[in-house]
Amino acid sequence: MVPGPELLPAVLPTDRLSARARPLPPIRQELRRIANRRNAVTVAGALLQSVGVVVAAAAVDRWWAYAAAVLLAGRGFALLNILGHEA
């Protein structure tokens, strides 16, 4: 089901990608540069989402609040897993 190489357009290399489809060094350096403040806000936000919904559920102290906390904390846990993977 995949077309043969003769039918595919020749798109590499370009001014941003090498023949192996990797970004060229100036582009890689630009992609790797992330501000420390932004990193700190991202980590703090993920932790607050994970812990905050559990604290909120405990404050409400109803069965449905705990059920909602389990669902909403999943997003925070997913963010923490993404951050751990990218680290």
Side-chain angles (χ1 to χ4, degrees):
M1 301 303 293
V2 177
E6 64 278 353
L7 297 176
L8 297 174
V11 295
L12 294 174
T14 68
D15 59 337
R16 295 175 58 96
L17 300 174
S18 69
R20 296 183 65 193
R22 293 185 62 188
L24 295 176
I27 303 298
R28 277 198 311 257
Q29 290 171 355
E30 180 183 328
L31 292 173
R32 289 181 179 153
R33 192 178 18 222
I34 299 173
N36 288 335
R37 183 177 296 147
R38 181 176 172 194
N39 286 336
V41 169
T42 302
V43 171
L47 288 171
L48 284 173
Q49 286 181 21
S50 301
V51 175
V53 294
V54 175
V55 171
V60 173
D61 197 26
R62 299 277 190 242
W63 69 268
W64 51 266
Y66 291 108
V70 168
L71 294 174
L72 294 174
R75 183 177 189 278
F77 294 148
L79 287 173
L80 289 170
N81 283 324
I82 292 169
L83 288 173
H85 178 268
E86 294 301 319

